[in-house]
Amino acid sequence: MTHIAETFLALHIKGDPLLMVNVWDRGSAKMMVAMGAKALATSSAAHAFTLGRPDGGTLTRDEALAHAADIVSAVAVPVQGDFENGFGDDPETCAETVRMAAEVGLAGICIEDTALPAQTAYDFELAVDRIAAAAAAARDLGHDFVLTARADGIMTGAYDTDEALRRLLAFEAAGADCLYAPLPPDMGALARICAAATAPVNALVAGPFNQQSHAEFAKIGVARLSLGSALSRITHRAIYDAATAMFGSGDFSKLQNGIDSAIIDDLLK
C-alpha cells in the first residue's frame, strides 16, 4: 500500500508545481480539499492567530502536533506541518520532531534556519547539522517522509540570496527532500534557485509573488507553491474591515459580503 508521504512526494514536479494550501482548522481543510486541493499544510502564523498569539516561536511542539493531527484526521490528502525551527536549536530535537510528526500522520514537515523567537539565523554549520539529523530521522522511519529545509534569511533580512542558495544546496546534500527560501528578491532570484537545485523547490505566494500566475512559476521550474498565512489573513481583513465600519460609523453593510451558508455546508459534507 502506498504511504501518503510517497503520494505527497510524487506531487512535487518541477515545471508543474503542486499548490499546497495552508489551512488552520478542520473547516478550512475540508473546504480546500472539496475545492480541489491535492495537499495541505498547516501554518504556524494562522495557527497562532487562532490561539490569540502572534507568529514567530509562540507555539509549543505539543500544540503544533495536536493541531496537525486534527487536520490530518479531517482529510484524506497529504498534510505537511509548518514546524518552524523544529521546536529547538539542537539537531536531535529536530530529529525527534520528525519522528513525532510522522507518528501523528503528517506526510512531511518544514524546518527553518531561524533561531526563534529571535530573527537571527543559525550559523551555517549548525543549520546544516540540524537538517542532516532531521533527514536521518526521516530515512529511519521505514517509509517516505518529505522533509522541507527552509532558508529564511532573505525574508528576515539575515542574509542575501547567495547565502540562501549556499544553505539550500547544503541542505539538499544533507538529505532534504524539498528546498524553500521564502520571498527572494524577484522571480529571477527564484529561477536561479530552481536551476541550481536538483531537489524540488517550494515558492511562497506572498508579497510581490501574488502577482505571478501558476504558469509563470511553472516556467521557471518551481515544484511546489504554498500560501503561508495568506488565506488566514484574508479572513482577518474581512473581519477588520467589517469591524472598522461597525464600530466607526455604525455601518453594517460589509456583513452583506458573506457567502451563502448552503455553499459552505456542501463543501463540509
Side-chain angles (χ1 to χ4, degrees), residues 4-65:
I4 198 163
E6 183 179 345
T7 300
F8 185 39
L9 186 59
L11 292 170
H12 293 63
I13 302 171
K14 285 194 172 190
D16 184 17
L18 164 70
L19 177 54
M20 181 182 71
V21 183
N22 300 80
V23 296
W24 57 92
D25 58 16
R26 294 172 66 87
S28 58
K30 292 178 72 173
M31 185 177 178
M32 289 300 98
V33 171
M35 296 189 73
K38 296 180 180 178
L40 302 177
T42 64
S43 161
S44 62
H47 180 200
F49 298 159
T50 68
L51 299 176
R53 304 175 196 166
D55 186 26
T58 64
L59 300 171
T60 68
R61 181 164 63 182
D62 285 347
E63 287 173 333
L65 286 165

Side-chain angles (χ1 to χ4, degrees), residues 238 241-243 245-246 250-261:
D241 287 349
M246 289 189 297
D251 175 12
F252 297 96
S253 63
K254 290 190 179 296
L255 299 180
Q256 299 173 9
N257 295 330
I259 190 169
D260 191 305
S261 61

Side-chain angles (χ1 to χ4, degrees), residues 151-163:
D152 278 26
I154 302 173
M155 182 173 66
T156 64
Y159 50 73
D160 60 11
T161 302
D162 287 344
E163 177 62 14

Side-chain angles (χ1 to χ4, degrees), residues 154-212:
I154 302 173
M155 182 173 66
T156 64
Y159 50 73
D160 60 11
T161 302
D162 287 344
E163 177 62 14
L165 185 54
R166 181 170 83 107
R167 289 179 177 234
L168 291 175
L169 295 180
F171 296 161
E172 180 177 357
D177 300 295
C178 182
L179 307 175
Y180 180 17
L183 301 181
D186 50 39
M187 286 289 278
L190 180 57
R192 180 184 167 205
I193 291 169
C194 293
T198 301
V201 172
N202 182 94
L204 175 63
V205 185
F209 292 96
N210 288 331
Q211 306 304 311
Q212 306 298 325

Side-chain angles (χ1 to χ4, degrees), residues 126-152:
L126 177 57
V128 175
D129 287 346
R130 285 160 38 82
I131 295 302
R139 300 295 85 81
D140 286 343
L141 293 172
H143 58 73
D144 283 329
F145 185 86
V146 181
L147 175 64
T148 298
R150 287 177 49 159
D152 278 26

Side-chain angles (χ1 to χ4, degrees), residues 96-112:
E96 182 63 19
T97 296
V98 166
R99 291 188 284 267
M100 296 175 77
E103 288 175 2
V104 302
L106 286 167
I109 63 172
C110 59
I111 294 180
E112 61 195 61

Side-chain angles (χ1 to χ4, degrees), residues 71-121:
I71 290 174
V72 167
S73 71
V75 297
V77 302
V79 180
Q80 174 183 277
D82 176 3
F83 278 11
E84 300 188 286
N85 68 336
F87 301 105
D89 298 330
D90 61 284
E92 178 50 37
T93 298
C94 294
E96 182 63 19
T97 296
V98 166
R99 291 188 284 267
M100 296 175 77
E103 288 175 2
V104 302
L106 286 167
I109 63 172
C110 59
I111 294 180
E112 61 195 61
D113 63 347
T114 303
L116 297 172
Q119 292 296 301
T120 55

